[in-house]
Amino acid sequence: ALHTHAFLCVCLLLLVGLDSLRGALAPGILQAMLTGAERVLLVWMPIYLFLTQKRVYRQGWFMATLSFAFLGLAYGLLIVVGAVLNLAFNLVAM
């Protein structure tokens, strides 16, 4: 879990940095290359996480896909619940 979170944090840091750098540049080839790099990184993140899970747990393709989908759904649900609770607590604290 720590490896996964560290990987996602580094990727998100790179995405924010690429986006800031792209915003500071004038439209042109370099800006288009940075946009392409962002897209490649966005596609690579779930692929890497899936392949890592498949390798670490030594699962076949079907079980790896099923567990990746289930864990992704559970993780997303926890993120949404945490965000909603955080919003509710902050609204009450106002």
Side-chain angles (χ1 to χ4, degrees), residues 24-46:
L25 295 173
I29 293 176
L30 190 56
Q31 193 178 37
M33 288 174 46
L34 290 174
T35 301
E38 288 177 16
R39 289 180 182 161
V40 167
L41 192 56
L42 283 172
V43 169
W44 175 243
M45 288 167 55

Side-chain angles (χ1 to χ4, degrees), residues 2-18:
L2 290 176
H3 173 78
T4 300
H5 283 97
F7 171 74
L8 289 175
C9 284
V10 168
C11 286
L12 291 174
L13 180 65
L14 285 172
L15 283 172
V16 168
L18 288 172

Side-chain angles (χ1 to χ4, degrees), residues 45-55 61 64-65 68:
M45 288 167 55
I47 292 171
Y48 177 80
L49 292 175
F50 173 75
L51 292 175
T52 301
Q53 182 175 346
K54 183 181 180 321
R55 182 180 175 112
W61 289 101
T65 304
F68 184 74

